[in-house]
Amino acid sequence: MNRNDDFDRTLQAWLHRQAPPQAPDRVLDAALERVAAESQRRSWLQRSFGGTAMTLMIRTAAVAAVVAVAALIGLQFTNLSDNVGITPSPLPSATPQPSDSTTPSASESPAPSSDASAALVLRLLGGGEAGRFHLVTILDDGRVISSDPFGASPPVERRLTAAGVQLVRDELAATGLTDTSADYQPVPNPGADPPPYGGAGPSLEVGQPGGETVIITWFLFGDTEEDYFQPQPEAEALEALATRLATLDEWLPADAWEDADGIPYEPEGYRMTIASQPWGGDPDELPVESDTVTWPLEDAMDAFGEVTNPPPDETRCGLVDSEDGQAVNAALEDAGATLGGPTSYQLGERSTSRLVTITLEPILPFGEETC
């Protein structure tokens, strides 16, 4: 990221306070060996999907807004300003987080999903100005669940062989950084006046032999003409690892896959959000009326779940099982609701001039089953 003159430069003091302690020499040595052949000019997300750091951040923010809370445009702007405003908060590493766009505590294992038949190998979340978002989860029974980082399509499930899973485990072990929870943040050079940065860096959760989970987070400050920060060998190594995990097809051999083609992921449940916002435009331009939907759930549409944001931009959220989620999805499609993204639909209420957005977010294995 480059200097942004609109940011408050007083963040330097915060960066000094948040600087992590120096890692042991063995960790530094392992990381340096790992990244010796890796480019240190661009982040893994840039290398994987192209674009500059700023354009990627903008695209990621847009995706997170669609996938996580597609209806809450105003709320997303509020969250974005919280992340990248004048005084951005340090990356969370000791507080449980609410959804797949964030990460659990580094000192606690994430809440297990309802699918407890397989153990976690890894769960990788990408990072951006709008928060974290799911990229890939691998389970020890070989399942690989991948999400489109730009939210253009729903998650896909494939399957590795046992040998393929071991190749992934070997890739993790080769870094020497995935057996202990850690948070690697930029450390300013003495006397440097670095620009502030916001948002969240990537997060990697790794299952351990004893059943516990370690969580590694990092934030890699992009190269600039001015040398603001000390070298980040651990973050560089983790970025290189994240690139490998997000592009399994590029390096795993064909015989590592039991099913490389994949099928749409069928979750055991959904996190359903219903948001109602004032409509400032012509009521005739609203989507199809909400009362035309043959609502399949016992609780009415305007009474479903718990209020997570009060009026006038009211949001309600609750968990539904796979059958109910598919029933809601079918009812919205049958009514002709406007598709707002791969997981969201829009309806109108002309009598009150309001826009209603319903988002069905799949609950992924080892993701937080909460609103």
Side-chain angles (χ1 to χ4, degrees):
M1 302 177 199
N2 295 321
R3 180 184 299 271
N4 188 331
D5 292 334
D6 294 331
F7 286 157
D8 188 344
R9 297 162 65 92
T10 59
L11 187 63
Q12 180 185 7
W14 171 79
L15 288 171
H16 280 287
R17 293 195 301 270
Q18 296 299 322
Q22 177 66 40
D25 290 341
R26 66 177 183 83
V27 174
L28 292 175
D29 292 341
L32 287 169
E33 291 176 3
R34 181 67 181 162
V35 302
E38 295 288 341
S39 170
Q40 299 187 13
R41 297 295 302 176
R42 307 173 69 200
S43 73
W44 69 270
L45 194 56
Q46 288 174 269
R47 293 192 296 271
S48 298
F49 302 104
T52 65
M54 183 57 67
T55 57
L56 277 171
M57 282 300 184
I58 293 173
R59 294 171 71 187
T60 301
V63 171
V66 171
V67 176
V69 224
L72 303 180
I73 297 176
L75 178 59
Q76 289 305 312
F77 286 165
T78 300
N79 290 339
L80 185 58
S81 65
D82 288 341
N83 278 329
V84 298
I86 294 178
T87 55
S89 300
L91 296 181
S93 60
T95 305
Q97 301 297 310
S99 73
D100 280 336
S101 63
T102 54
T103 189
S105 162
S107 61
E108 299 178 8
S109 297
S113 71
S114 55
D115 182 1
S117 59
L120 180 69
V121 175
L122 66 89
R123 182 170 178 258
L124 175 65
L125 305 180
E129 291 184 0
R132 295 188 174 103
F133 51 93
H134 180 262
L135 287 175
V136 61
T137 294
I138 301 179
L139 307 178
D140 68 353
D141 62 2
R143 281 180 292 164
V144 178
I145 302 164
S146 303
S147 297
D148 183 345
F150 303 120
S153 58
V156 173
E157 178 178 327
R158 298 181 290 171
R159 189 175 291 271
L160 291 167
T161 63
V165 172
Q166 186 58 49
L167 287 174
V168 173
R169 291 188 189 276
D170 292 343
E171 196 76 10
L172 296 172
T175 66
L177 297 170
T178 60
D179 57 358
T180 304
S181 294
D183 183 27
Y184 299 104
Q185 297 297 302
V187 179
N189 282 318
D193 184 19
Y197 59 90
S203 169
L204 177 63
E205 303 164 28
V206 180
Q208 301 298 301
E212 69 276 11
T213 299
V214 302
I215 302 175
I216 305 101
T217 56
W218 67 96
F219 195 107
L220 183 63
F221 195 91
D223 290 341
T224 61
E225 292 183 1
E226 298 185 55
D227 191 13
Y228 293 116
F229 295 100
Q230 297 178 21
Q232 296 182 259
E234 298 93 350
E236 290 280 0
L238 290 165
E239 290 265 314
L241 174 63
T243 299
R244 300 275 279 178
L245 298 177
T247 56
L248 295 172
D249 291 329
E250 295 184 6
W251 59 276
L252 282 176
D255 59 6
W257 293 98
E258 183 176 317
D259 176 13
D261 295 331
I263 57 174
Y265 174 67
E266 296 185 4
E268 294 195 0
Y270 295 86
R271 182 182 297 104
M272 186 162 71
T273 302
I274 302 178
S276 175
Q277 296 175 291
W279 176 256
D282 185 346
D284 291 337
E285 296 179 356
L286 281 166
V288 64
E289 282 290 327
S290 60
D291 59 9
T292 64
V293 178
T294 304
W295 190 247
L297 304 186
E298 182 177 350
D299 291 335
M301 186 186 302
D302 60 1
F304 171 83
E306 300 292 332
V307 175
T308 57
N309 195 61
D313 296 329
E314 182 180 55
T315 305
R316 307 183 69 90
C317 180
L319 305 180
V320 296
D321 61 23
S322 179
E323 182 178 355
D324 284 345
Q326 292 174 16
V328 170
N329 184 78
L332 293 170
E333 289 184 348
D334 291 344
T338 300
L339 188 64
T343 62
S344 66
Y345 296 84
Q346 293 182 332
L347 303 166
E349 291 181 353
R350 285 165 177 78
S351 62
T352 58
S353 190
R354 296 183 71 83
L355 176 70
V356 178
T357 303
I358 300 177
T359 302
L360 287 160
E361 180 187 355
I363 296 177
L364 301 175
F366 294 89
E368 292 279 335
E369 292 190 3
T370 68
C371 282

